[in-house]
Every structure is written in structure tokens, then in C-alpha cells.
Amino acid sequence: MHRLAFRTPDRRLPAAVALFALFGGCSGSEPEPTLDETLAAIVADARDAAGSPGLSAAVAVDGELIWSGASGLADVENGVPATADSVYRIASISKPVAGVALMQLVDRGAVDLDAEVQTYFPAFPEKEHPVTVRHLMTHTSGIRHYNPGEMDMKDHFDTIEAAIEIFKDDPLLFEPSTQYSYSSYAWNIVAGIVENVSGQTFDEYMHENVWGPAGMDATYLEHQGEIVPNRVRQYVKHDDDEGVLNAPFADLSIKWAGGGMISRAPDLVRFALALDAETILSADAHDRMTTPYRLADGTMSEYALGWRISTDDTGTWVAHSGGATGGSTRLLRLPERGVAVAVFSNVQSAEGLAETARRLAEAALEHTPEP
């Protein structure tokens, strides 16, 4: 295996120096950087800090997509620049996207969150304790996460029923609702419920009911053999942090709803804005999705139905991160201000994307007066 000693050409100085050089160094005479320049500089700095070949981002405020851009390379070997249209593995951000599909069915009265999963997906066997749909979506089901080596599985699964064979007969880790334990596998069952209740394949349902109505024209389930315009190459960091290597092959059919989608940053911002506008989900269903789950002992989790929730002086932030084979992602929302930020990287274990998304959101808010 040959290491790709990744070095992006120095097309941009670090943000603070670049802005100083761009606007002049004379005290009192330099103009303020524009919002576009500020956001572009944050992205360039973030790519350097993350050690990622490429990084793409998009930002919305007051319900409008105001900026999208990128820094670095989508393909190191061929010198292809990353752009706003670059398509990345969105990893676990697939969960809230899939969660919207299920909550649409809840909205229609077709699914009860507190029903046992076998009501809608009998391929998952009954366990020593009942597992409900709500348990799946809040990571409180007791269904295990990946064992070593399973995240990079090369096998292809033609059906969701086939994809659950690897874990379905394993015992639960604990009685559901008593603990929080992150499980991408639990979300396979979410996809299975969507299929069985809707009568469509998960792929068909997502296109017709979520991606299409939200204007997500470059969002798909990742099928390795398909030609996808603007798809990035995926990378992993070299052990000595002196470069990157091509990421190992991984077939994502083991986890369509839990981490198998690919998309571009503006599409995920449009997804967030469609939620805010109630285009793809009712306000009541969205409120239920973003209400943190209370464990059996009364402890409040920071995780809701597919979203992680936090509150500070700015407001209530709704977010999800993702880590894929060869990719790292972050989606951050502040629904009360119509703010949405997506940050995508094409290297595994990129650092600082949560902070980058917050910096982009704060910069957008700073340039936008409160109504």
C-alpha cells in the first residue's frame, strides 16, 4: 500500500493572515470582511486543522441558504478540487434523515412509537424484554453497535432482512429504556419498518417523501457500483499524521438508515430548512423528534428521536455528527433562527467539525440582525 503524502497547495493563507493581507494592515483603514469571506476563511482553517484533503460546507440563516463553499481536494491522486457540490458519505447524519421518514408514518397514524417492533418488522425476533420503535430511535433498545471489523464490511446485502442477520439473534445489552447505548444496527429496523408499512423500498420511500420534497437532488443510498457525479474519494489518516491513505473498501448496505447515505452539504441544509418550514414533517412530529428521551430512572438523555439536543444562551441546538469509513460530518441546527450548517470532510476521524459548524453558525448570526 502506498501512502498519499497529502499536501494541499498553499492557495490560501491561514484565515487571520489572509484577511489581514486581503484588507490591508493599516489600523483604522481596512474594511470589514464580508460574510462570504469570513465563512470561506473558517472553512479553509477547519480543513487544515482537521487534516482533511477536502472540506465542504453550507450555511443557512433566517430560513435561507446564504453560502456554500469548499476547501482542498475531493480527489488527491487526480488533483480534483472539492466544491459545494461534492458528494460525501454523510455517515450517521443518515439517522435523523431516516427518522423523518418514520415520523411521517407516525404523523399519518400508521406507526405507534410505543408499539413493539415486531408489529411492523417481524423479521427481528422477540427478545427477553420488549423493544419498541421509540427505543430504536433513542439508542435505548439494548441492540448492540458494531463489533470490531463490522464497520468496514465488504459484503453486500440485498435486503434489510438480510442485513440484520449479523446481529438479530444476539442478546440485548440491557433492558430497553434503562440505558443509553449508541447503536447504528437498531436503525436497520427503522428502515425495515418504513419499508413494511409504506409498501415501498426504503430507497423509493426516501426519494419520494423526504429527499425529493426537500430539494435534496444529490442525496442517495450509497451503491458502490453506481456512477455518482461529484462523488469524493474517501481517505484515512496515516499513523504518523504525515499524510493520508485511500480508505478501505466498505459496502454500506449493512446500515442504510444508520449510516448509508451520501449527499452534498447544501442538500443537508435544505433538509433542515424543509423541517423548519414543515414541508416534510409536521411541527408536532418535529417537536416529538427533538424532545430528549427520559430513561426509566428519570435521567434525561441528550438524545431525542434521531437528534442530539443541547441548550445554551443562544437557544436550543439540534445536531448530529457522523463518522464513516473515509469521512466525517456534522449537521447543526438552530430552528428558532432558521439556522442550519452542514460540514463534510473526506477523511475518517477528522477533528473539530462540531466547533467548525458552531463557528459558521455564529458568524452567520452575527451578520444577521435578530428579527
Side-chain angles (χ1 to χ4, degrees):
M1 180 182 292
H2 296 287
R3 174 170 47 156
L4 301 176
F6 167 63
R7 294 287 185 274
T8 299
D10 291 330
R11 299 188 180 99
R12 179 185 296 276
L13 294 169
V17 178
L19 293 176
F20 185 83
L22 179 63
F23 301 118
C26 300
S27 177
S29 63
E30 66 271 14
E32 287 291 321
T34 66
L35 177 57
D36 285 1
E37 290 161 345
T38 299
L39 298 177
I42 291 171
V43 166
D45 272 359
R47 186 198 59 75
D48 287 337
S52 179
L55 191 146
S56 299
V59 180
V61 67
D62 284 347
E64 298 286 341
L65 178 63
I66 61 166
W67 182 87
S68 60
S71 175
L73 299 173
D75 181 335
V76 175
E77 290 170 304
N78 295 296
V80 179
T83 72
D85 288 328
S86 294
V87 173
Y88 296 75
R89 288 176 171 167
I90 70 170
S92 285
I93 297 175
S94 302
K95 292 179 176 71
V97 180
V100 167
L102 192 141
M103 291 303 292
Q104 288 176 342
L105 299 174
V106 172
D107 237 357
R108 297 168 195 165
V111 172
D112 178 353
L113 286 172
D114 295 311
E116 294 184 32
V117 298
Q118 292 80 16
T119 307
Y120 312 108
F121 191 67
F124 184 72
E126 292 186 4
K127 299 296 181 179
E128 58 271 36
H129 303 287
V131 178
T132 69
V133 179
R134 191 185 303 273
H135 294 147
L136 301 176
M137 298 181 71
T138 55
H139 297 294
T140 60
S141 68
I143 295 171
R144 71 172 177 87
H145 194 46
Y146 308 123
N147 281 334
E150 291 177 355
M151 182 173 170
D152 298 331
M153 283 193 67
K154 298 173 175 57
D155 297 341
H156 181 76
F157 300 93
D158 291 326
T159 65
I160 294 168
E161 287 78 6
I164 72 168
E165 288 291 331
I166 195 169
F167 68 88
K168 73 172 188 177
D169 294 323
D170 292 348
L172 299 179
L173 301 177
F174 48 81
E175 182 178 352
S177 84
T178 63
Q179 297 182 43
Y180 170 91
S181 183
Y182 194 86
S183 172
S184 286
Y185 281 150
W187 283 77
N188 280 2
I189 302 169
V190 170
I193 292 171
V194 170
E195 285 199 343
N196 287 351
V197 173
S198 71
Q200 297 178 281
T201 67
F202 183 61
D203 201 352
E204 290 168 344
Y205 187 91
M206 296 304 299
H207 275 289
E208 292 183 19
N209 296 278
V210 181
W211 303 334
M216 301 165 71
D217 298 332
T219 303
Y220 320 92
L221 301 184
E222 184 183 274
H223 294 278
Q224 285 286 353
E226 292 182 353
I227 302 300
V228 177
N230 302 311
R231 181 168 13 190
V232 302
R233 293 286 298 271
Q234 285 93 28
Y235 301 96
V236 294
K237 294 179 181 179
H238 196 269
D239 290 341
D240 60 10
D241 284 333
E242 290 298 319
V244 294
L245 300 167
N246 285 314
F249 178 88
D251 189 299
L252 303 190
S253 60
I254 189 68
K255 51 184 173 185
W256 289 138
M261 300 180 194
I262 57 176
S263 189
R264 59 187 175 188
D267 274 26
L268 266 293
V269 167
R270 292 187 183 100
F271 166 72
L273 296 182
L275 287 173
D276 293 345
E278 301 175 34
T279 302
I280 55 175
L281 197 65
S282 72
D284 176 67
H286 180 262
D287 286 346
R288 296 171 77 182
M289 274 197 88
T290 53
T291 299
Y293 182 74
R294 189 181 296 277
L295 297 174
D297 66 358
T299 304
M300 189 67 73
S301 170
E302 292 182 354
Y303 204 89
L305 296 169
W307 293 104
R308 196 171 297 280
I309 312 299
S310 62
T311 302
D312 60 20
D313 292 342
T314 307
T316 298
W317 296 91
V318 179
H320 214 289
S321 296
T325 303
S328 306
T329 58
R330 179 75 170 177
L331 177 61
L332 178 66
R333 304 171 53 212
L334 185 66
E336 60 209 69
R337 290 293 308 275
V339 170
V341 177
V343 183
F344 294 169
S345 158
N346 60 342
V347 73
Q348 193 165 328
S349 303
E351 297 178 358
L353 298 194
E355 292 80 4
T356 298
R358 183 62 184 255
R359 287 181 64 198
L360 291 168
E362 289 175 345
L365 285 169
E366 185 178 339
H367 282 73
T368 307
E370 251 188 284

